[in-house]
Amino acid sequence: TQPMKISGNIPAKERKKGNTNPYLNEGLIPSIIYGGKADPTMVAVDKIQLKKRFDEGGFYSKIFEIELGDKKEAVIVKSIQRNKVKHNPIHIDFQRVDEKTRIIISVPVELIDQETSPGLKQGGVLNVVRREIELSCLANNIPEKFVISLEGKEIGDDIRLSSVTLGEGMKPTILGRDFMLATIQAPKVEKEPEVQETEESTGEDSENTEEKKEEEKAAE
């Protein structure tokens, strides 16, 4: 069994039940670690270190180690509760993982080679339907991202789940459907305004009408 890939450490300290404001005021975010055979552990994690990990990208598809004194816990982030006004994190749920843990995780999709897509060169528009694929996999086999090439893609082409090569033991949570990730759509054509008759054309028409009247009189 291959080892889990740890993406970084997050310092933390144990906390007690009750008011969480003192921790928030200290620059710590109240959190809980659950899962596995151990009991849930209440902790408060370092806000600055957590933000660093978040800014690195792929936050929800990485394994981190919570440093609790001499003890380290391998975890993934399950959910973040944010302040309704300021949107800053006020509580985090972490799930314990080991090599045998099967987890559900969202993996980013990256679309490359846009410059070699004939459809996009012709003015087609790339419409991204899903930026992530939610899948079930083992914690020691989490893909960082799925990279899909758009080389040779024409207007009207779809990019679907079947364009992705899933690794061993990986299963999408949406089963039995080759769902769409992106499409290359035809460019939008603006409707040209209707051409109105000019004064000149109206004049010509009236002249023609007069000529016809004169011809009719002459025939009489």
Side-chain angles (χ1 to χ4, degrees), residues 15-73:
R15 69 177 176 92
K16 296 176 181 178
K17 280 186 180 180
N19 188 4
T20 58
N21 286 335
Y23 297 103
L24 292 166
N25 293 337
E26 280 183 52
L28 299 167
I29 302 172
S31 308
I32 189 165
I33 304 171
Y34 64 86
K37 294 177 181 177
D39 292 333
T41 304
M42 298 177 71
V43 297
V45 299
D46 184 276
K47 183 179 178 180
I48 294 170
Q49 290 300 315
L50 186 88
K51 188 178 184 304
K52 277 185 184 177
R53 300 290 169 240
F54 186 84
D55 291 343
E56 287 165 3
F59 190 61
Y60 291 96
S61 58
K62 289 181 176 178
I63 297 174
F64 301 104
E65 274 188 337
I66 302 289
E67 292 181 339
L68 201 57
D70 297 332
K71 191 180 174 185
K72 290 183 179 181
E73 295 251 38

Side-chain angles (χ1 to χ4, degrees), residues 155-189:
I155 288 174
D157 284 353
D158 295 337
I159 296 91
R160 295 180 176 270
L161 175 66
S162 51
S163 304
V164 175
T165 304
L166 297 178
E168 189 181 347
M170 296 180 195
K171 294 178 184 176
T173 54
I174 300 172
L175 296 172
R177 190 156 67 87
D178 190 17
F179 55 80
M180 194 180 291
L181 301 172
T183 61
I184 297 179
Q185 297 178 335
K188 288 183 179 178
V189 180

Side-chain angles (χ1 to χ4, degrees), residues 103-122:
I103 56 175
I104 290 175
I105 208 154
S106 292
V107 180
V109 173
E110 183 180 342
L111 301 166
I112 62 167
D113 299 330
Q114 296 188 24
E115 66 282 357
T116 56
S117 160
L120 293 178
K121 278 185 177 179
Q122 291 163 15

Side-chain angles (χ1 to χ4, degrees), residues 112-156:
I112 62 167
D113 299 330
Q114 296 188 24
E115 66 282 357
T116 56
S117 160
L120 293 178
K121 278 185 177 179
Q122 291 163 15
V125 178
L126 180 62
N127 175 36
V128 180
V129 180
R130 291 175 187 268
R131 297 187 182 277
E132 295 178 329
I133 298 173
E134 189 181 76
L135 52 83
S136 167
C137 67
L138 291 171
N140 64 347
N141 196 23
I142 300 173
E144 192 170 324
K145 60 185 175 182
F146 290 120
V147 179
I148 302 171
S149 173
L150 297 178
E151 185 177 353
K153 296 292 182 185
E154 303 277 0
I155 288 174

Side-chain angles (χ1 to χ4, degrees), residues 189-202:
V189 180
E190 289 187 12
K191 196 175 179 182
E192 291 186 7
E194 291 181 11
V195 180
Q196 293 183 345
E197 288 186 351
T198 60
E199 287 180 12
E200 286 180 10
S201 63
T202 309

